[in-house]
Every structure is written in structure tokens, then in C-alpha cells.
Amino acid sequence: MNDQHTDTLALDYPDCDITYYPNFIGKKKATKLFSEFKRSVPWQQDDITVFGKTYPQPRLTALFGNDDKPYTYSNITMHPHPFSPALLALKQEIEKKTNVIFNTCLLNLYRDGKDSNGWHADNEPALGPNPVIASVTLGHERFFHLKHRTKKGLRHKLLLAHGSMLLMQGKTQHHWLHQIPKTSKVIGERINLTFRLIK
């Protein structure tokens, strides 16, 4: 992206390797990408089963990839669409910044404050022992919550801005859980693109 900035924030917490790039994509470019992905991505809403109860997942999703490898999480198996030119260009910019090659992107569309993503770790076996997740936010900012699995007082929250990127790597998924909680505030839509490497 031609209008990127280079400022970064590394979270100084034990057992994690998390870096936040608040201005990874300039606001004008980010707004253009939001509109394009909102319009062109084949969004779907799957049923999710938690503690024996099945209900519609509280957000819309889509999966894109380099090949036919499906991705399974929370008893949902998704099959990838081929990368669009805009997604491929964004993937290449992220790879240039992170020095990591990604082959899959899971997109989430949070339609309002009622849409959410509960506590979890991105630790599916297909992601390998130390997953690298590059998460880009487009649209309305949302709080990203973190909590340590065993050190109960260790929590953090970060406001993910329009055009930002959050990079999680190393042992992060072993020791930390994260979520996008619901909010009662009236807020706009957010698209979250999580680039991953499926082994």
C-alpha cells in the first residue's frame, strides 16, 4: 500500500509475541478496500455448536485460499474461494511486512455491536505448532480482548483501528485467548481479514 505508515506497538506481556500496526493501510485505501470486500465477498453464516447448543454464528464469514485446503474450527468446515486480485495484493503487502508467506484468509463481517467472536485461541492442528496470524481491520473500530490462560490477572484490551494490522506469532496461541466482545453501543460494520498458513 502506497500510503502505509511504519509506527508499531509491541505488546510487552509474557508468553506472547504480538505486534500492532495502527496505520498499516492508509484510511483512504482502507475505506476503498472495505467497500470492495463488503460488496464482492460471498459472505455466509454457519451454525455453531457450543456446549451442546447450536445457533447461528454471530457474524458472517468467508474463506479464501491458494488451493483447495479446507479449514475447520469449532466444528465448522469451510472450503476456500480463490483469492481475488484485491485480496492477493493485500496478502503480498502483509507478507512483505511480516516476512511470512500466507496461503489462507478467513474473513469476518461484524454487522453491528451484537456480532462478536467469543474467547478462543487460533490453535487448530492445521495451523502448525506456532501459528502466525495477521489480522487486518477495515471499517468500525472494535475492542480486541486478551487474557492469559493460567495467569488469571493478566488481561489486556486493544482498540483495533480502521486500516490496522495485528500480528500474533510465536507461543501466543499456546498461552493466550482472545475475543471480540459484544457491545451495546450503536456502531457500524467491521470487516476483519485473518491471514493464516494452513500446513
Side-chain angles (χ1 to χ4, degrees):
M1 306 295 162
N2 295 331
D3 47 1
Q4 283 182 11
H5 300 272
T6 56
D7 50 325
T8 62
L9 171 67
L11 297 192
D12 187 18
Y13 282 87
D15 307 323
C16 77
D17 184 349
I18 300 177
T19 306
Y20 179 56
Y21 302 81
N23 302 297
F24 179 68
I25 308 171
K27 297 298 183 273
K28 185 176 179 181
K29 179 69 173 179
T31 299
K32 182 180 177 184
L33 286 174
F34 175 89
S35 297
E36 179 166 348
F37 294 145
K38 172 72 189 305
R39 173 186 54 80
S40 65
V41 167
W43 300 104
Q44 65 189 65
Q45 185 174 29
D46 295 296
D47 285 339
I48 189 169
T49 301
V50 179
F51 301 122
K53 298 182 81 172
T54 300
Y55 57 91
Q57 196 168 210
R59 62 191 179 280
L60 305 184
T61 60
L63 186 71
F64 288 79
N66 286 350
D67 48 39
D68 297 331
K69 289 181 181 176
Y71 181 54
T72 299
Y73 68 98
S74 300
N75 295 316
I76 295 172
T77 297
M78 300 186 71
H79 296 274
H81 305 280
F83 278 114
S84 67
L87 263 177
L88 197 57
L90 179 58
K91 183 175 88 76
Q92 290 166 349
E93 290 293 338
I94 292 169
E95 290 170 344
K96 192 184 303 181
K97 172 66 74 175
T98 62
N99 293 316
V100 177
I101 301 298
F102 298 98
N103 62 8
T104 303
C105 182
L106 176 64
L107 292 86
N108 297 284
L109 172 58
Y110 298 85
R111 295 159 292 183
D112 54 29
K114 296 176 184 175
D115 276 359
S116 63
N117 197 345
W119 287 113
H120 69 284
D122 294 311
N123 58 358
E124 293 78 22
L127 299 176
N130 292 311
V132 182
I133 310 290
S135 174
V136 172
T137 290
L138 303 173
H140 202 283
E141 58 192 17
R142 291 287 293 264
F143 275 107
F144 178 83
H145 289 205
L146 288 153
K147 69 176 180 180
H148 198 280
R149 287 179 182 271
T150 57
K151 299 170 183 174
K152 297 304 182 186
L154 211 49
R155 290 174 173 258
H156 186 71
K157 69 178 182 179
L158 187 64
L159 190 62
L160 300 181
H162 180 46
S164 67
M165 180 175 72
L166 187 75
L167 181 67
M168 297 184 287
Q169 52 190 337
K171 298 283 188 182
T172 302
Q173 306 301 328
H174 295 265
H175 299 287
W176 290 81
L177 300 173
H178 56 274
Q179 70 165 350
I180 300 287
K182 296 181 190 299
T183 176
S184 58
K185 292 180 180 178
V186 178
I187 60 171
E189 295 172 311
R190 170 184 183 256
I191 292 175
N192 168 232
L193 305 94
T194 58
F195 289 86
R196 303 150 188 262
L197 174 60
I198 295 182
K199 304 293 185 180

